[in-house]
Amino acid sequence: IEKAMELLAEMQQRGMNPEASTHTALISACEKSHKLEKAMELCAEMAQRGYPAEADYTALLSVSTYDILISACEKDGEVQKAIDLFVEMQHRNGLIPEISTHIALIRACVKSCKIKDARELFTEMQQRGLIPDASTGEEAMELFQRCSKIARRPWNPKVEKRGKGHS
């Protein structure tokens, strides 16, 4: 990640204005390297550089970028920050979370023993018509099994069994 950050700095020193997709790729690298603070700094830098001249970096973020940030929060144990980003993407930016967004946040909630929040997110996901495919459904079931062990009470959400290519 350090080499990639050096390359970004060099691009900027040469007067190049990297596209938002370049920052998103770096944010993804930060998430994989468990560097949440660096990912958030890159978001702020997007605002300073302007893509296009936005005063608020959050207006520049796509659903997939939010997914990456929420996943980074989950990995760093920053569940409240993940929840804040989830709310921000919807209410401030009008973005609609996808299954991957919900699962990333459910993962963060389970990791932090916020079982009620995880259950509510799964229910919300289904109410939005977002039915997990077999692979994502299996992950959700595993997460809720962990929740049940933590809470010592069973819970079995409905998961539609479909082929792997559907979301």
Side-chain angles (χ1 to χ4, degrees):
I1 184 88
E2 297 307 319
K3 187 71 175 164
M5 297 306 296
E6 288 172 17
L7 183 57
L8 176 65
E10 184 180 325
M11 289 172 69
Q12 293 167 340
Q13 286 172 351
R14 292 182 180 199
M16 298 175 167
N17 195 9
E19 295 180 2
S21 60
T22 302
H23 277 85
T24 299
L26 288 170
I27 291 166
S28 179
C30 289
E31 179 263 337
K32 288 175 178 54
S33 301
H34 300 267
K35 296 184 185 259
L36 174 61
E37 286 303 312
K38 192 64 181 172
M40 297 306 294
E41 286 173 21
L42 285 165
C43 288
E45 185 177 308
M46 289 173 75
Q48 290 173 352
R49 298 257 172 218
Y51 298 103
E54 294 284 344
D56 181 5
Y57 76 86
T58 60
L60 306 168
L61 303 181
S62 65
V63 172
S64 62
T65 306
Y66 273 104
D67 285 357
I68 294 165
L69 289 171
I70 290 169
S71 181
C73 290
E74 176 259 321
K75 288 179 179 176
D76 278 15
E78 294 286 341
V79 69
Q80 190 56 55
K81 181 68 177 168
I83 291 168
D84 292 346
L85 286 166
F86 184 79
V87 170
E88 174 184 287
M89 75 181 288
Q90 296 171 82
H91 299 283
R92 193 169 175 185
N93 296 333
L95 298 174
I96 299 170
E98 297 174 351
I99 289 174
S100 56
T101 315
H102 283 84
I103 294 297
L105 190 51
I106 289 168
R107 200 179 302 120
C109 289
V110 169
K111 205 172 187 181
S112 299
C113 298
K114 291 185 174 269
I115 298 162
K116 183 180 178 206
D117 291 337
R119 288 180 178 176
E120 288 173 3
L121 283 163
F122 194 86
T123 300
E124 176 187 318
M125 181 176 75
Q126 289 182 314
Q127 288 172 344
R128 290 179 179 217
L130 299 172
I131 308 297
D133 63 18
S135 173
T136 308
E138 286 175 27
E139 180 179 5
M141 292 300 288
E142 287 176 25
L143 290 170
F144 285 113
Q145 285 174 353
R146 285 187 217 157
C147 279
S148 294
K149 287 178 186 175
I150 294 167
R152 297 183 186 221
R153 61 178 183 231
W155 190 63
N156 188 12
K158 295 177 187 174
V159 175
E160 186 174 301
K161 296 285 182 181
R162 293 196 229 175
K164 285 197 174 189
H166 297 79
S167 326

